[in-house]
Amino acid sequence: MNREVRMGRPDRMITEAQQTYSFSRRALVLGGGQAVIGLLLAGRMTWIAVAENEHYSLLSESNRVNMTLVPPRRGWIVDRHGVPIANNRTDFRVDLIPDRLENKEHTLGLLREILGLPPEEVDRIMTDLKHAQGFQPVQVIENLDLERFAAVSVRLPELPGVAPSRGFARSYPAGAAVAHLTGYVGAASVEQYKATKDPLMVTPGFKLGKDGLEKTLEQQLRGRPGAKRVEVTARGKLVKELETRPDVPGQNARLTIDASLQEYAARRLGTNSGSAVVIDVATGEMLAMVSMPAYDPNSFSDGISHLEWKMLSDNDHVPLMNKVLQGLYPPGSTVKPMNALALLEAGVQPNQVVHCTGALKVGNGTFHCWKRGGHGPVDMRRGVAQSCDIYFYQMARDVGYDRIAPIARRLGLGQKFELPFNSQRYGTVPDAAWKEKRYKADWTVADSLNASIGQGYVLANPLQLAVMASRLASGRSLKPSILMNQIHPADPLPMDPAHLAIVRDAMFAVVNDGGTGGAARLEIPGMTISAKTGTAQVRRITMAERATGVIKNAALPFKMRDHALFICFAPSDKPRYAAAVVLEHNGHTVRNLDTPGIGRDIMTYLLDRERALKSLAEVEPTWGGDIKTRMAAESAAYRAAANAPPPIAAAQTETDADAPTDAPAVSNATNAADATAEALANATAHGDGVAQTGSTEDER
């Protein structure tokens, strides 16, 4: 085959000029590519060196500089006079960061040697580490002295995972007396950290509000964290401290509360399970809001153990409950002044007389007075002063409870108040429409009669009772306030001032003119107190028991005893203060622990402090000492009896507990109380209501 046509194509001759041109073109393309790459590299280097200089400088610096957040100092909670209710104290502490520990046993051994930790504390720390998330600090010790804190700090290279810190810890000078007012602070939960991813949440020493005002005022009280930068060696040894960005403290919260009155009222409640509320009737400011017994917020903020939590949860006086806002009780005869006002507004004359024989026949039912022999002829003033049930039965039957219920609401029962707490329960002011909606049943005369003596379906919390007393005393629609910057203006009540004067005079007679509250009489010359006592049953009393003699409260188990209630204001002629005292299952069994004496002494404290303190000093030792002494004795007794939980588990820090007001023990108590109240109210339809079997007001 011919060369020219081999493979179907002619051979191509390449000249030297063509080769030179082809080489030059390729060299040019390659050179251009290299130039582009060079420009890109130069641009990137310029970007890194200039535009991102600060970023990479910081990354480089982090190889030798550590930066940690500094928890902000919380704002103080102070009383109306600036006295601290919750403040901060200097605190040296040591924590462990689980995911930074290299040799747990070795590290704990060194800490035990340096800090002198007892074996049970080491066991507690080991147990807490097992249950902690990797990023959650585990407390080793708080309130550390400077010498031991320094000893840990200088040996940090030997203690990976150990985080000593110097900061501020929360302190509650009045302890349990303010627990349900302030709440407490604690370490952030795992859920809170995961929800926010805020590194402050896992900074050793940082705590946030868990309950009460500490929780609802969190944003105001928290402040902004600072930052601390220190230079270290490659092994983590401190070289020097660099500049520190200071924290910004939180804002203070000023309350309307009088801290000294708060503490006095808490002490004066003694061994009762109960509450007291005091209101300034000129402004509606709450001067005291006390629920006892209570927990020590200092212990909660430091971290309580499983055993301590169980002790509080098992206590039948329910110290975890804020009884002022969460407790609902039949108000008993404390509503009779309010009922009297409603009757006056409905046209009843105050001198109209009802003859009390001790029983009132209505249809096929008989309704009894607490005084079996009756009170004889009773007008409105005597009806309130003597707490005559028959008078109010007759009037409620004549007028109808639908004429009384609106006045009850106007005076504060069933109302929700604008307060910085998440735990309010509001009770019930029943009427025909309410019963139809709730039970699909008609309102009956028996319902009216039971409601007229504060039983049946009527329920109120202690704050509402205090508001009722303050509105009766002032004649204005006062709204309770607890923050000094949120005091509410109040208009006059839309009621005849003459009617209010008649009711106040009747409350004066309760204490000062032969009424049921004589034990509340003030011992201050020239001063008087006006009040109304009350008893609320929590059990059925059958007609058979009434016929043979009602079992006295002192002979009944604690949970079966009557509640004792009391509302008051003073001075009688120019009211300045109003109060409510509610004692769960008190049963009027101990005179110096009963409501009239407590109400009297609280008012005495406001009017003559030295006299009130002297009176308390005489009786407090008979109750086992002051609050702190009694709590320590109860704790010691519980620990001695609690042999069931293993010691290590019992000592473990309780990190997953609900806030006290949300605790299962509180839910169980409120559910049980609600069920009891409903059962007692529904018993009316079967002839076993309180009004039908007779109240126990005579045990005042």
Side-chain angles (χ1 to χ4, degrees):
M1 182 180 292
N2 194 309
R3 277 182 77 219
E4 285 78 3
V5 297
R6 191 175 59 225
M7 303 298 293
R9 290 178 301 180
D11 285 344
R12 186 176 178 184
M13 300 297 294
I14 299 175
T15 66
E16 183 177 351
Q18 288 176 319
Q19 287 180 330
T20 301
Y21 173 77
S22 176
F23 176 79
S24 299
R25 186 177 60 183
R26 289 175 183 173
L28 182 63
V29 171
L30 184 59
Q34 289 175 331
V36 169
I37 292 172
L39 287 173
L40 288 174
L41 289 173
R44 179 61 178 165
M45 290 175 66
T46 302
W47 174 263
I48 292 173
V50 178
E52 294 196 334
N53 176 65
E54 183 179 359
H55 171 70
Y56 286 100
S57 294
L58 288 174
L59 287 178
S60 174
E61 186 182 27
S62 68
N63 292 327
R64 65 180 184 90
V65 175
N66 285 340
M67 186 177 75
T68 58
L69 290 177
V70 177
R73 288 161 288 175
R74 288 182 75 80
W76 288 18
I77 300 175
V78 300
D79 83 341
R80 62 190 301 107
H81 306 298
V83 176
I85 294 176
N87 58 8
N88 304 317
R89 53 176 169 76
T90 303
D91 179 46
F92 294 100
R93 59 181 292 126
V94 174
D95 295 277
L96 292 173
I97 311 300
D99 62 1
R100 296 181 188 172
L101 281 173
E102 295 178 0
N103 188 325
K104 182 166 54 179
E105 288 73 18
H106 174 72
T107 300
L108 283 176
L110 280 178
L111 286 176
R112 179 177 180 179
E113 174 189 330
I114 298 169
L115 298 173
L117 298 174
E120 58 269 21
E121 271 300 287
V122 176
D123 291 339
R124 191 268 306 166
I125 295 166
M126 291 288 285
T127 307
D128 286 353
L129 282 170
K130 291 177 183 176
H131 293 85
Q133 300 287 332
F135 47 77
Q136 268 189 303
V138 170
Q139 178 181 307
V140 175
I141 191 169
E142 274 193 321
N143 304 325
L144 193 58
D145 58 81
L146 182 58
E147 184 179 350
R148 287 188 294 166
F149 178 79
V152 173
S153 298
V154 299
R155 298 185 67 175
L156 278 182
E158 305 172 60
L159 297 167
V162 174
S165 60
R166 178 178 57 192
F168 296 89
R170 205 58 160 169
S171 175
Y172 305 91
V178 300
H180 290 294
L181 173 67
T182 61
Y184 69 102
V185 296
S189 67
V190 176
E191 290 73 20
Q192 287 171 317
Y193 172 70
K194 289 181 176 177
T196 63
K197 297 299 183 183
D198 185 348
L200 180 61
M201 295 284 182
V202 291
T203 299
F206 172 73
K207 293 180 179 179
L208 72 168
K210 292 288 190 173
D211 207 0
L213 293 175
E214 291 279 26
K215 181 177 181 180
T216 55
L217 301 180
E218 173 65 24
Q219 294 308 310
Q220 174 182 343
L221 296 171
R222 181 185 295 185
R224 296 199 301 274
K228 181 174 64 177
R229 300 169 70 241
V230 294
E231 186 176 354
V232 295
T233 66
R235 295 178 59 85
K237 185 176 180 179
L238 178 67
V239 176
K240 65 179 179 180
E241 289 193 7
L242 304 177
E243 70 273 15
T244 298
R245 184 185 72 204
D247 64 300
V248 178
Q251 301 174 42
N252 292 347
R254 186 179 172 206
L255 308 184
T256 62
I257 295 294
D258 182 327
S260 61
L261 174 66
Q262 176 84 10
E263 189 168 1
Y264 178 85
R267 292 173 62 189
R268 186 58 186 86
L269 286 173
T271 57
N272 281 299
S273 172
S275 56
V277 182
V278 183
I279 294 178
D280 185 328
V281 303
T283 60
E285 297 168 54
M286 295 171 65
L287 303 178
M289 190 193 85
V290 181
S291 176
M292 295 299 290
Y295 57 89
D296 184 352
N298 293 298
S299 295
F300 265 65
S301 295
D302 291 343
I304 66 166
S305 67
H306 280 339
L307 187 65
E308 290 173 293
W309 177 257
K310 189 173 188 306
M311 176 184 71
L312 292 166
S313 298
D314 290 347
N315 192 324
D316 63 0
H317 283 33
V318 202
L320 298 173
M321 179 193 290
N322 182 349
K323 298 177 179 70
V324 171
L325 300 177
Q326 293 182 288
L328 292 180
Y329 312 92
S333 294
T334 60
V335 298
K336 287 175 179 174
M338 177 275 296
N339 289 347
L341 181 61
L343 296 175
L344 290 167
E345 292 289 307
V348 173
Q349 296 302 308
N351 57 358
Q352 184 175 336
V353 172
V354 171
H355 192 76
C356 173
T357 62
L360 176 68
K361 190 80 171 176
V362 179
N364 296 325
T366 302
F367 297 80
H368 293 83
C369 186
W370 67 262
K371 189 173 183 179
R372 295 190 65 173
H375 290 94
V378 179
D379 62 6
M380 183 175 287
R381 186 176 192 268
R382 189 160 186 258
V384 173
Q386 291 291 322
S387 203
C388 177
D389 294 331
I390 298 299
Y391 176 86
F392 288 97
Y393 293 159
Q394 182 64 56
M395 291 300 177
R397 183 175 69 166
D398 292 347
V399 171
Y401 197 75
D402 277 8
R403 301 286 294 277
I404 297 174
I407 303 299
R409 298 186 187 104
R410 198 167 291 161
L411 290 183
L413 301 192
Q415 281 196 9
K416 176 181 179 180
F417 303 114
E418 295 180 17
L419 293 171
F421 296 96
N422 297 324
S423 54
Q424 288 188 67
R425 299 207 303 153
Y426 312 116
T428 305
V429 177
D431 55 20
W434 174 87
K435 189 177 181 185
E436 171 62 30
K437 182 178 180 180
R438 175 73 181 269
Y439 294 106
K440 307 300 181 186
D442 293 333
W443 187 264
T444 66
V445 172
D447 291 329
S448 291
L449 271 56
N450 275 280
S452 74
I453 61 169
Q455 294 273 181
Y457 297 112
V458 185
L459 291 172
N461 67 37
L463 175 59
Q464 292 168 341
L465 296 180
V467 170
M468 179 175 70
S470 71
R471 291 182 179 180
L472 287 171
S474 68
R476 296 188 299 138
S477 56
L478 293 171
K479 298 176 183 177
S481 56
I482 203 164
L483 298 175
M484 285 297 289
N485 62 353
Q486 293 182 14
I487 297 173
H488 311 289
D491 298 321
L493 288 169
M495 297 170 188
D496 189 337
H499 293 166
L500 285 161
I502 291 169
V503 172
R504 293 189 200 111
D505 178 57
M507 293 179 70
F508 172 88
V510 169
V511 178
N512 305 288
D513 195 10
T516 59
R521 189 174 290 112
L522 292 179
E523 297 177 358
I524 305 172
M527 293 278 189
T528 58
I529 182 176
S530 299
K532 184 66 193 81
T533 56
T535 302
Q537 289 176 216
V538 297
R539 70 183 185 97
R540 290 189 185 184
I541 299 175
T542 65
M543 293 303 295
E545 181 182 339
R546 182 174 174 83
T548 58
V550 177
I551 301 172
K552 299 295 184 182
N553 276 294
L556 291 169
F558 172 71
K559 288 290 187 180
M560 301 298 288
R561 298 174 187 169
D562 298 334
H563 298 318
L565 307 97
F566 187 79
I567 63 170
C568 62
F569 60 82
S572 297
D573 55 345
K574 294 181 179 179
R576 179 62 195 276
Y577 308 108
V581 179
V582 179
L583 306 179
E584 294 183 336
H585 310 294
N586 168 274
H588 308 289
T589 53
V590 180
R591 189 173 180 83
N592 66 20
L593 286 171
D594 203 358
T595 50
I598 293 172
R600 173 202 65 206
D601 287 353
I602 288 174
M603 287 297 165
T604 299
Y605 185 87
L606 288 161
L607 301 169
D608 187 340
R609 183 169 301 191
E610 293 304 317
R611 187 186 296 268
L613 289 170
K614 181 180 178 182
S615 174
L616 178 60
E618 292 172 357
V619 295
E620 196 170 43
T622 68
W623 307 330
D626 61 16
I627 297 171
K628 191 173 182 179
T629 301
R630 293 198 309 270
M631 288 179 69
E634 291 170 7
S635 179
Y638 189 88
R639 289 174 183 278
N643 297 318
I648 294 177
Q652 180 186 339
T653 303
E654 181 62 67
T655 56
D656 298 324
D658 296 302
T661 51
D662 296 327
V666 174
S667 298
N668 294 339
T670 55
N671 290 340
D674 290 348
T676 297
E678 184 162 14
L680 199 59
N682 290 335
T684 300
H686 305 290
D688 290 329
V690 174
Q692 290 141 306
T693 58
S695 70
T696 54
E697 184 78 12
D698 59 319
E699 296 194 80
R700 62 195 178 282

